[in-house]
Amino acid sequence: MTDLDQYLDQHDRRIHDELFDLLRIPSVSARSEHAADVRRTAEWLRDSLAKIGFDASIHPTSGHPIVLGEWRGAPGAPTILIYGHYDVQPAEPLELWESPPFEPTIRNGRIYARGATDDKGQLFLHVKALEAHLAVRGKLPVNVIVLAEGEEEVGSENLERFVEENAKRLAASAVVISDSSMFAPGQPSIVSSLRGLAYFQINVTGPTVDLHSGSYGGAVVNPATALARIIASFHDENGHIAIPGFYDTVRDWSDSAREAIRRLPFDEGVFQRQTGAPALGGEKGYSTLERIWTRPTCEVNGLLSGYTGEGAKTVLPSKAMAKVSCRLVPDQQPEEIERLMRAHVTRVAPKGVTVTVENLSGGRPWRAELDGPLFDAARRSLKAAFGREPVIVGEGGSIPVVGDFQRILGTPVLLMGFGLPGENAHAPNEWISDENFVKGAKAVASFWDELAAN
Ligand code: BES
Ligand code: MN
Ligand code: MN
């Protein structure tokens, strides 16, 4: 056990109390009624960084504020940027939570709360690893910048600009992020790819008001049916996306990368049971992991039209709306996918209705080559904390700023997350494994030593 591990163990109780304080603030970025809570969380984090010896500041944006912590006491040593997000997803539906989302509770070794794993718990374990160094040794072996944003869950609208405008101040030789999951319990993991995102709202309008479906039905084009036809045109019968040009910029994965995925011990049955779906399904010719990690998608996220209340109401709806998001893989770009989506919808839209496509948000996909001292240091510290060599995994989710870091700062990004499959991120009863929270802090603490030893 290292001096840092010992410190973290000794202060375990207080560290958990602090984590619980952080989890209690409902920093829901999507809801304007929580703007003050989001701001309070930023201030809480700033104070928590200041307390451990960082220069900490809050940077307002036109949305939610960015928190910056800086410790530059190791002249000549490299500078590393830690990124995380302190905002969380809405907690609804509240009635499905076994304990209230903003009253953190430990049950069976799991810390339940909205944001426990995504991403407050994973961000905070970094702060505590930094604290261990500064408290035990009075210094860190490298210079560290902590950048925490409050808008990740709503698409990181203002962060790209902040990174661009502060590129000098944020200059670093690597970015480190814990906002992802391990492949399985006890199996530390390094993420080598993220999908990007292109998010749309499709609005279909027909008659000015809902019509009697007997008096008008059959003679007026039904917006719900028109929308259904548009949605049905997104895929062919093999699950390939049928939007012309959609795959043109997809860079194929190497045989060795596909082989590495195949070698991972993945149980489709367990995965299926976790989803509760009666069967798995997707694009023909690809395994489940390949579908999630290496292939783009086009998914309906929400649908709205007509009468959905109790009983029957014979009505021809005046409008229909769908939220549709495409997950992107390298080298697809959200701007190009938007252009293709608009052209496709315009082409297939039935006559007799008006169709508009709104762009709601976007993010670039990302893929990394995982070699060099940064990744060697991560491998060693993960192995020390978990007793097992980490595996390289892909990831189906998106962290919009990762591509921007790579592009603007020109730095490699290391994604080592401490979440677990099934932790209910974005869903009721989100949790983080307490063991992973504790081991994660120890792994990260030793990571700074490993990095400096290179
Ligand atoms: N932490 C997730 C990204 C993620 C998801 C990593 C699953 C690993 C596994 C992040 O907070 C997230 O939810 N991102 C959103 C981005 C969107 C709102 C722009 C996503 O992927 O939907
Ligand atoms: Mn996250
Ligand atoms: Mn999230």
Side-chain angles (χ1 to χ4, degrees):
M1 190 186 286
T2 69
D3 52 344
L4 303 169
D5 290 356
Q6 212 166 14
Y7 175 89
L8 290 166
D9 283 344
Q10 270 162 8
H11 294 265
D12 186 74
R13 185 65 184 277
R14 172 183 53 84
I15 289 172
H16 280 79
D17 287 345
E18 290 176 9
L19 171 65
F20 279 33
D21 285 343
L22 173 60
L23 292 173
R24 265 185 212 107
I25 319 178
S27 51
V28 181
S29 50
R31 296 276 155 78
S32 48
E33 72 261 31
H34 283 296
D37 296 316
V38 176
R39 160 123 216 132
R40 197 149 54 89
T41 312
E43 288 162 357
W44 191 99
L45 259 180
R46 175 200 58 197
D47 294 347
S48 140
L49 285 163
K51 221 173 354 178
I52 67 167
F54 271 59
D55 290 325
S57 50
I58 289 187
H59 303 258
T61 72
S62 60
H64 299 301
I66 291 164
V67 180
L68 213 54
E70 296 164 282
W71 190 89
R72 299 182 190 273
T79 301
I80 313 294
L81 176 73
I82 300 170
Y83 162 84
H85 62 93
Y86 67 82
D87 65 324
V88 300
Q89 288 272 331
E92 289 80 8
L94 298 181
E95 66 277 13
L96 295 186
W97 285 78
E98 272 169 43
S99 51
F102 299 106
E103 292 173 25
T105 316
I106 296 202
R107 291 193 299 275
N108 305 324
R110 301 167 166 193
I111 303 170
Y112 284 89
R114 171 56 88 229
T117 188
D118 187 13
D119 176 42
K120 284 171 166 175
Q122 298 201 57
L123 171 60
F124 192 61
L125 67 84
H126 274 274
V127 179
K128 294 299 104 176
L130 296 168
E131 173 187 315
H133 278 269
L134 292 168
V136 173
R137 303 176 186 166
K139 60 182 165 57
L140 279 156
V142 293
N143 301 293
V144 174
I145 306 169
V146 178
L147 193 175
E149 72 157 316
E151 298 190 303
E152 198 276 343
E153 298 292 10
V154 288
S156 300
E157 287 288 318
N158 295 294
L159 189 55
E160 180 174 7
R161 173 136 171 241
F162 181 84
V163 174
E164 252 158 16
E165 287 176 353
N166 294 278
K168 272 226 178 80
R169 185 169 179 180
L170 299 176
S173 51
V175 176
V176 177
I177 302 176
S178 296
D179 187 22
S180 55
S181 294
M182 310 204 312
F183 187 68
Q187 176 56 69
S189 310
I190 297 174
V191 171
S192 67
S193 66
L194 292 165
R195 290 195 289 192
L197 194 69
Y199 203 127
F200 309 102
Q201 177 169 323
I202 301 175
N203 306 298
V204 180
T205 12
T208 29
V209 290
D210 288 1
L211 300 172
H212 191 296
S213 69
S215 311
Y216 297 91
V220 174
V221 177
N222 185 315
T225 311
L227 180 58
R229 296 185 79 92
I230 294 171
I231 290 171
S233 76
F234 290 159
H235 297 88
D236 70 13
E237 64 285 0
N238 290 322
H240 294 299
I241 292 161
I243 299 171
F246 191 85
Y247 293 101
D248 285 0
T249 51
V250 171
R251 177 161 37 107
D252 277 335
W253 284 49
S254 65
D255 288 342
S256 66
R258 287 185 78 171
E259 177 54 32
I261 294 175
R262 245 172 266 133
R263 273 201 307 271
L264 289 169
F266 181 73
D267 187 325
E268 306 237 349
V270 170
F271 180 82
Q272 182 194 336
R273 277 193 290 285
Q274 226 175 51
T275 67
L280 298 176
E283 191 182 5
K284 213 172 155 185
Y286 296 91
S287 71
T288 293
L289 285 182
E290 285 175 336
R291 286 169 176 170
I292 300 171
W293 293 352
T294 76
R295 299 298 290 168
T297 66
C298 194
E299 298 278 1
V300 176
N301 298 121
L303 272 177
L304 194 66
S305 185
Y307 181 70
T308 55
E310 191 183 352
K313 183 187 182 197
T314 47
V315 73
L316 192 162
S318 97
K319 27 183 200 205
M321 184 273 273
K323 307 254 184 188
V324 174
S325 67
C326 301
R327 293 283 169 173
L328 312 180
V329 302
D331 296 310
Q332 291 177 306
Q333 297 304 326
E335 298 83 3
E336 172 68 359
I337 295 302
E338 178 187 351
R339 198 180 63 73
L340 297 172
M341 173 62 90
R342 284 183 189 283
H344 176 75
V345 169
T346 305
R347 199 165 41 243
V348 300
K351 287 202 173 55
V353 291
T354 308
V355 181
T356 60
V357 176
E358 281 174 68
N359 190 320
L360 297 187
S361 65
R364 295 177 205 292
W366 168 84
R367 197 152 104 201
E369 300 304 327
L370 305 183
D371 47 26
L374 178 68
F375 299 98
D376 293 341
R379 284 191 188 97
R380 288 197 300 273
S381 49
L382 288 170
K383 172 143 195 222
F386 290 89
R388 230 157 128 181
E389 203 66 49
V391 291
I392 306 294
V393 296
E395 177 50 62
S398 310
I399 306 176
V401 76
V402 169
D404 299 329
F405 282 142
Q406 188 109 33
R407 184 175 56 81
I408 301 166
L409 304 179
T411 49
V413 181
L414 167 65
L415 281 164
M416 53 172 171
F418 303 101
L420 286 179
E423 280 185 337
N424 300 324
H426 296 201
N429 303 308
E430 176 178 350
W431 54 277
I432 188 169
S433 141
D434 185 41
E435 183 186 342
N436 273 19
F437 172 74
V438 171
K439 283 188 178 170
K442 291 177 179 171
V444 168
S446 84
F447 171 71
W448 300 116
D449 282 341
E450 293 291 351
L451 197 59
N454 263 285

